[in-house]
Amino acid sequence: MSLVIFISLLLFVSIPYSLSRVSGPLNPIHKSFLDCLSTQSPQPDPSFPSIVYSFAINASTYTKTLEDHLRNRRYNLTSTPKPVIIVTPKTESHVQATVLCAKKLGLQIKIRSGGHDYEAVSYVSTEKNFMILDMFNLRKVEIYIPTETALVQAGAQLGELYYRIWEKSKVHAYPSGVCPTIGVGGHISGAGYSNMLRKYGLSIDNVIDAQIVDVNGKLLDRKAMGEDLFWAIHGGGGSSFGVIISYTIKLVLVPKVTTVFQVEKGTEPNVMDVIMKWQEVSPKIDNDLFIRLLLSPATVNKKTTVKVKFMAFFLGDSNRLLELMSKTFPELGLKKEDCLEVSWLESVLYWAGHDVNKTKPEILLDRQIPTNYFKRKSDYVQTPILKQGWTAIFNKLIELGGTVGMNFNPYGGKMSEIAANATPMPHRAGNLYKIQYSMNWMDPKVTEENLKNGRVMYEFMTPYVSKNPRGAYSNYRDFDIGVNSGDGFNSGKVYGEKYFKGNFERLVKVKTVVDPDNFFRNEQSIPTSSKKR
């Protein structure tokens, strides 16, 4: 099935998810895979039948496993291609044997650590024979406060990591995503960022080791894999190069008291002046402060308008924050009563949308979240947008009927100090902020309209964002910017340079060395230098 047809089906089919298109009742692949696992295991392992699922053999477990980590309902339709088998490894040796057997049986591997990937590249494929390697059983988290490090397996979610850090220390943290149910493997391998990026950089800037199973089934740490592959898998996407088992990360220090706030602005006359000042100061203000700007569609008196919100995290108490804001950003009008002093872990709950006074930290161990239909896109802004530009943006959001929201995340600070080629993620110095475009909906009948409006807004923003190439954030997967059409390097370069700029060529070189036959592949993976699929 071509990708164009595949995406078209996703846009127009809106009936509930079904498993009717899985391989026939005998599912010979299931038996062949189990037989192969036994031959590839260094010793007899009676647990193999309990980690391999297919609809024909153990339908209820297959269905539950498949759907437990489905996040985007656009990829949960009757027409959605489904894996012939799902493997849920419990040990590193299970992963090693799975890789070897997938190669032998000609199955494409989709590696899922959490399922938050925006285009479902970890659990849907345009290829006929694919399987899911679901890493949720490999979620060990070990915290070492004396060395200020932690080992976290790929199947753990960020909330689990944060909770385990909090158990051991109230003054340590890890700079990573604000959504607790994101899987560690995909998040870190794709760069990872948090509301501490201006202080501590990206998640990958705080990684010191890793374990990966390569295409030959070998388990490698940083020393064994070499610096080129280690460089590639922290920021270049791990699933292009192998199966990430774990990362060893550096913990960072946080004060016992941090401060959060949200300030909303209506349609008052000076709202554009406040935004202009935010644009000026947010990338160069104190590195302890991160202020996100959100433009959200809203309806007032039956008319579409734009709600303006400033959401912040500060590594310090409210007195110091208020003093800082009065000197650098008085236009926001921040007051003492706007500020909430919390621990770092409570700030995680706050940013995840929880009431910190009523929510117990244990909620971070909950791996389930509601799902909806959504689409995301991204951009980088390198030149300040003029006031008339902001007015035009507001007008366009209103014209689109409240279907598109925009989040603006400031850079500067530590992000401007790290070289663009230090990791595969190149979008560092020179960027004022990153934009995420958000389209969310619950009615599948409006899918086509919402996707169209997202593309319209993205096209409208062309004059205001980075160019040659127009940058994009690789963890915000977006098929609109290009997919691998089967010709390898040529189509891969289209999206690859947007995600990785000049680092794309080095990623291709690493890929060609460690996986020359392009076994680890997906719709936006790093290609080899040849024209193989």
Side-chain angles (χ1 to χ4, degrees):
M1 179 189 295
S2 74
L3 187 63
V4 172
I5 296 174
F6 170 53
I7 292 177
S8 297
L9 285 169
L10 295 182
L11 299 185
F12 291 104
V13 178
S14 59
I15 54 180
Y17 188 80
S18 165
L19 297 169
S20 61
R21 297 176 65 236
V22 179
S23 297
L26 297 179
N27 197 348
I29 292 179
H30 189 128
K31 182 179 185 305
S32 298
F33 207 91
L34 282 176
D35 291 343
C36 179
L37 288 176
S38 298
T39 66
Q40 295 300 332
S41 179
Q43 57 190 17
D45 190 333
S47 69
F48 281 142
S50 69
I51 66 168
V52 181
Y53 313 133
S54 67
F55 184 62
I57 307 300
N58 34 26
S60 61
T61 308
Y62 171 96
T63 303
K64 184 178 188 304
T65 304
L66 180 61
E67 295 184 344
D68 270 355
H69 296 114
L70 285 169
R71 303 304 186 208
N72 192 344
R73 292 175 67 185
R74 286 199 297 128
Y75 295 100
N76 195 14
L77 308 174
T78 300
S79 61
T80 305
K82 289 158 277 290
V84 291
I85 58 170
I86 303 172
V87 179
T88 59
K90 297 180 179 179
T91 66
E92 291 89 341
S93 63
H94 287 169
V95 177
Q96 293 173 277
T98 296
V99 168
L100 294 173
C101 290
K103 282 177 61 181
K104 181 178 179 180
L105 297 176
L107 296 178
Q108 180 195 23
I109 280 189
K110 291 284 184 157
I111 307 161
R112 183 165 70 174
S113 64
H116 267 266
D117 53 317
Y118 291 160
E119 298 285 14
V121 295
S122 65
Y123 54 90
V124 176
S125 178
T126 54
E127 297 188 32
K128 181 179 180 181
N129 289 321
F130 76 98
M131 59 165 288
I132 295 175
L133 179 62
D134 201 318
M135 301 291 285
F136 68 88
N137 285 321
L138 292 172
R139 57 176 187 261
K140 177 174 65 177
V141 179
E142 296 178 346
I143 310 298
Y144 311 106
I145 295 302
T147 58
E148 298 183 309
T149 61
L151 184 145
V152 54
Q153 289 187 316
Q157 295 187 340
L158 295 181
E160 294 171 304
L161 171 60
Y162 298 157
Y163 183 86
R164 299 307 174 197
I165 295 172
W166 172 78
E167 280 186 316
K168 298 288 186 178
S169 169
K170 303 304 183 277
V171 293
H172 286 87
Y174 183 61
S176 212
V178 299
C179 184
T181 53
I182 294 173
V184 165
H187 186 69
I188 295 181
S189 71
Y193 81 97
S194 74
N195 51 22
M196 292 190 284
L197 88 168
R198 304 189 64 256
K199 178 75 170 184
Y200 291 116
L202 302 170
S203 302
I204 48 173
D205 300 326
N206 299 276
V207 171
I208 57 177
D209 206 342
Q211 286 187 312
I212 186 174
V213 171
D214 72 2
V215 71
N216 298 311
K218 294 181 179 179
L219 179 63
L220 309 172
D221 62 9
R222 179 174 182 174
K223 182 177 180 180
M225 75 178 77
E227 289 303 300
D228 283 343
L229 181 52
F230 179 71
W231 174 85
I233 63 171
H234 67 300
S239 61
S240 290
F241 304 94
V243 183
I244 302 296
I245 300 295
S246 68
Y247 283 106
T248 301
I249 59 177
K250 294 185 297 182
L251 303 181
V252 301
L253 291 173
V254 293
K256 289 184 178 180
V257 176
T258 69
T259 306
V260 293
F261 71 75
Q262 296 184 51
V263 173
E264 290 190 12
K265 295 290 182 181
T267 56
E268 55 260 40
N270 73 331
V271 67
M272 290 299 175
D273 294 327
V274 179
I275 290 175
M276 291 293 290
K277 190 59 181 285
W278 169 87
Q279 179 178 239
E280 176 190 342
V281 303
S282 63
K284 58 186 181 183
I285 206 167
D286 191 301
N287 291 356
D288 286 340
L289 180 58
F290 177 91
I291 307 175
R292 170 182 285 177
L293 167 65
L294 302 96
L295 303 183
S296 306
T299 301
V300 178
N301 297 325
K302 298 183 179 181
K303 292 184 178 181
T304 301
T305 184
V306 176
K307 182 171 65 176
V308 179
K309 181 191 292 185
F310 297 88
M311 186 171 183
F313 173 72
F314 180 62
L315 289 159
D317 61 33
S318 60
N319 289 332
R320 185 162 76 91
L321 173 60
L322 287 166
E323 181 181 358
L324 172 64
M325 292 292 284
S326 68
K327 292 179 180 178
T328 59
F329 194 6
E331 292 81 357
L332 186 61
L334 185 68
K335 303 179 183 66
K336 181 76 171 180
E337 54 265 32
D338 297 323
C339 301
L340 181 62
E341 291 187 340
V342 292
S343 68
W344 167 71
L345 192 80
E346 288 172 330
S347 80
V348 170
L349 298 175
Y350 180 89
W351 272 73
H354 299 293
D355 184 336
V356 298
N357 295 314
K358 299 179 180 179
T359 308
K360 294 182 178 181
E362 284 71 24
I363 198 171
L364 296 175
L365 303 178
D366 185 357
R367 297 175 65 88
Q368 300 302 313
I369 61 171
T371 61
N372 66 351
Y373 298 86
F374 66 86
K375 171 71 176 180
R376 301 289 186 268
K377 302 177 76 65
S378 61
D379 261 319
Y380 290 91
V381 174
Q382 299 171 336
T383 303
I385 299 174
L386 301 178
K387 183 180 288 189
Q388 57 263 41
W390 286 105
T391 300
I393 290 169
F394 271 58
N395 291 338
K396 194 66 178 179
L397 290 173
I398 292 171
E399 177 190 321
L400 293 174
T403 56
V404 181
M406 300 173 72
N407 294 346
F408 302 79
N409 300 286
Y411 272 31
K414 188 72 172 179
M415 291 295 288
S416 295
E417 300 171 10
I418 299 173
N421 61 0
T423 68
M425 208 296 258
H427 307 291
R428 305 275 193 168
N431 292 294
L432 299 176
Y433 45 87
K434 173 173 61 182
I435 301 174
Q436 178 174 208
Y437 305 85
S438 302
M439 289 69 71
N440 302 293
W441 62 98
M442 294 301 295
D443 183 358
K445 295 178 181 178
V446 301
T447 293
E448 183 180 4
E449 176 187 358
N450 281 271
L451 294 176
K452 175 186 175 183
N453 287 345
R455 295 180 185 118
V456 168
M457 192 67 209
Y458 181 80
E459 182 64 27
F460 176 82
M461 290 295 295
T462 302
Y464 308 111
V465 299
S466 61
K467 299 170 178 62
N468 302 317
R470 182 172 182 170
Y473 176 46
S474 63
N475 263 356
Y476 293 170
R477 290 289 179 187
D478 179 8
F479 283 172
D480 291 344
I481 69 170
V483 292
N484 197 310
S485 62
D487 66 348
F489 180 83
N490 291 335
S491 57
K493 184 178 180 180
V494 174
Y495 58 83
E497 290 191 338
K498 292 169 183 162
Y499 288 141
F500 306 110
K501 297 177 68 174
N503 295 330
F504 174 69
E505 296 279 357
R506 181 178 175 187
L507 287 168
V508 170
K509 290 179 181 178
V510 175
K511 168 73 172 181
T512 304
V513 170
V514 303
D515 184 19
D517 293 323
N518 199 23
F519 172 71
F520 292 108
R521 62 188 181 274
N522 59 56
E523 289 73 18
Q524 284 193 338
S525 58
I526 301 299
T528 63
S529 57
S530 71
K531 290 190 176 182
K532 292 182 179 180
R533 185 178 178 85

